[in-house]
Amino acid sequence: MSISFRIGWSRYKKIRTYRKHPLKCTLAVNRIFLRRDARRNLLPARCAPCAAGRGDMDSINIWNDRYAGKRKAGGVCRIAALPVMVLCAWMALRALSEKIPEDTLPAEPPQEVREEMPQSGMFEWDEDSILRIDEAAELAKRLRITHWYQEIEFSQGMVQELAAFIEAMAGQGVKVYALVGAKEWGYEPDGASLIAYMENVRIYNESVSQNQRLWGIMADVEPYILKGWKDNAQANMDAYVSGMVKAHEWTLENDLLLIACIPRHYDDQGLSEQLERLIAQGCDEVAVMNYGCGDEVERIKTEALLAVRYGKPLHCILEFQEVGKHGLTEEETYRNKGLEAAWEVWTQVEEACEGVQFIRDYHWTEPIWDILAQEAENE
């Protein structure tokens, strides 16, 4: 399995090309071995049928006449085709066993390999990061990010920039999602504001090619932050879930994925029934802000069980912002504990959440860059 993963897709495509046309001009065999044809006189530097854009038998036979000096009634050139095909087979076997450097991992490994790799997501709240493709690509490569949640302000002039960003990230095997949400949206039972935003995603996707499209939406709607939440949490949660169900129905009709970003304490508030409906009907995936260092496994248990029950991927989000920001305490962020401590926790949670597709999410790029810089200074 790991060997297949290490085969670069460019190499794979070349092998496919060799099988289709053993006399193709672009053969690595020609490049490597046949540049010495002036000395050996075995094969021409270019295959005439390919150069002429022809691949039919007559064209090959005509080329045989010109090069070998004699005409054959049928079949390909015995001088050229057999050695090249043997060499192609040897090169294909060599590619299967050859290791390539870690920094040249394929952009889109096989499906069975992707399922075994740890999946990681990154939140990005800076809209201008789509203009810094190299920076985002570097971070994604260093942390092996597979999902990128990008805040996007849809405007008339941003289509080309966003398309270029998504295409570049897709080249590294990263799926880009639109990151959006306002706490007020949680009080809309019809999900009107969220659906209106997602309409922009649909319009954008229809205007670009397949590898430039957004995969879906990370809906970070947090109605519990508003002051009036606790006054009537049951009714407010009902409104929020109703809006998410409407939004999910819309995404199902428009070929988009909807990820519900939620806190880990809805069940602690006596809202387990609504939480179950949210995971069952209001999203394709659930992302839990598991902020509470030391008891992550216990606190995400309810959401994990529901994710397994309804076959939904489970995201475990860990916080990395500095202590004091937005009221964060030392017990809620891994800023001072470091990335290795977070990785250990993710591993523990994933092992405890058996039977669920698990995604490790970083919140967010700015503090992660700070941590990486600090770790580099300490080395």
Side-chain angles (χ1 to χ4, degrees):
M1 193 71 67
S2 60
I3 293 177
S4 300
F5 174 55
R6 294 189 178 99
I7 299 176
W9 288 109
S10 60
R11 181 179 301 165
Y12 173 76
K13 291 178 181 177
K14 289 178 183 177
I15 294 173
R16 297 268 300 187
T17 301
Y18 303 162
R19 291 173 180 172
K20 289 181 180 179
H21 197 310
L23 296 176
K24 192 114 176 146
C25 305
T26 55
L27 279 175
V29 176
N30 284 350
R31 293 199 303 268
I32 299 172
F33 295 103
L34 306 182
R35 290 176 181 172
R36 298 170 292 179
D37 63 312
R39 294 197 301 271
R40 296 194 174 186
N41 290 322
L42 291 176
L43 284 172
R46 287 181 61 81
C47 161
C50 289
R54 305 189 301 272
D56 56 280
M57 188 65 72
D58 290 339
S59 299
I60 295 175
N61 286 335
I62 292 172
W63 171 66
N64 290 346
D65 294 342
R66 293 177 180 173
Y67 192 75
K70 56 186 176 181
R71 185 176 182 84
K72 303 243 178 234
V76 296
C77 173
R78 293 194 177 102
I79 298 176
L82 184 58
V84 172
M85 293 175 70
V86 172
L87 285 169
C88 288
W90 171 78
M91 291 178 66
L93 291 173
R94 182 178 178 181
L96 288 171
S97 60
E98 183 179 293
K99 292 183 179 181
I100 63 174
E102 290 292 328
D103 59 355
T104 57
L105 292 174
E108 188 69 14
Q111 176 65 30
E112 62 272 15
V113 175
R114 290 200 301 273
E115 292 175 353
E116 292 188 358
M117 291 171 54
Q119 297 185 67
S120 301
M122 180 65 69
F123 281 75
E124 176 55 279
W125 291 106
D126 184 358
E127 298 171 354
D128 293 335
S129 69
I130 64 173
L131 305 177
R132 302 189 299 272
I133 296 177
D134 292 343
E135 181 180 296
E138 179 187 351
L139 185 60
K141 180 179 178 181
R142 291 178 68 174
L143 297 180
R144 298 208 170 199
I145 299 300
T146 56
H147 299 62
W148 188 276
Y149 319 117
Q150 176 67 49
E151 184 174 30
I152 303 168
E153 181 181 354
F154 288 96
S155 60
Q156 192 170 7
M158 52 66 66
V159 173
Q160 291 184 346
E161 289 84 358
L162 180 57
F165 176 82
I166 295 175
E167 184 174 9
M169 297 298 276
Q172 292 189 190
V174 180
K175 301 175 181 179
V176 180
Y177 295 75
L179 172 61
V180 68
K183 48 186 176 290
E184 295 82 6
W185 295 2
Y187 288 85
E188 299 178 358
D190 58 357
S193 296
L194 179 56
I195 293 173
Y197 177 87
M198 296 192 300
E199 180 67 22
N200 292 325
V201 176
R202 183 192 65 79
I203 293 172
Y204 163 79
N205 277 358
E206 291 181 351
S207 69
V208 296
S209 60
Q210 182 70 36
N211 64 337
Q212 297 173 333
R213 293 175 183 172
L214 291 159
W215 281 77
I217 297 92
M218 171 68 82
D220 186 15
V221 180
E222 303 179 60
Y224 59 91
I225 294 178
L226 293 175
K227 292 182 179 180
W229 172 264
K230 292 182 179 180
D231 296 338
N232 197 347
Q234 293 285 341
N236 291 333
M237 185 68 172
D238 285 340
Y240 163 62
V241 172
S242 176
M244 289 296 295
V245 171
K246 294 290 186 182
H248 188 223
E249 291 172 352
W250 187 94
T251 56
L252 290 174
E253 294 175 357
N254 290 275
D255 197 25
L256 289 167
L257 292 173
L258 179 60
I259 307 174
C261 184
I262 64 173
R264 65 179 192 172
H265 52 63
Y266 280 143
D267 53 334
D268 296 335
Q269 299 181 50
L271 303 172
S272 297
E273 183 178 339
Q274 294 94 327
L275 175 62
E276 181 169 3
R277 183 174 179 234
L278 171 65
I279 294 176
Q281 304 175 27
C283 63
D284 296 290
E285 305 177 14
V286 58
V288 183
M289 294 178 281
N290 202 358
Y291 303 163
C293 305
D295 61 349
E296 287 89 351
V297 173
E298 183 65 26
R299 290 295 186 90
I300 203 174
K301 184 182 295 185
T302 300
E303 292 81 4
L305 290 173
L306 291 172
V308 172
R309 180 180 300 171
Y310 295 103
K312 304 296 177 73
L314 176 67
H315 299 241
C316 178
I317 312 170
L318 296 185
E319 182 63 86
F320 293 90
Q321 296 187 88
E322 61 189 17
V323 175
K325 195 164 188 177
H326 304 299
L328 288 171
T329 66
E330 184 66 40
E331 290 71 34
E332 296 174 318
T333 177
Y334 280 84
R335 176 59 178 267
N336 298 326
K337 299 173 182 63
L339 294 176
E340 288 191 9
W343 295 333
E344 291 178 3
V345 167
W346 271 319
T347 300
Q348 294 171 8
V349 176
E350 184 172 9
E351 290 175 351
C353 299
E354 187 177 356
V356 67
Q357 182 181 341
F358 190 81
I359 300 97
R360 311 172 178 202
D361 285 345
Y362 297 81
H363 190 260
W364 57 295
T365 60
E366 184 178 88
I368 292 298
W369 276 119
D370 292 341
I371 293 173
L372 291 173
Q374 185 177 357
E375 290 182 351
E377 291 178 0
N378 295 335
E379 290 180 354

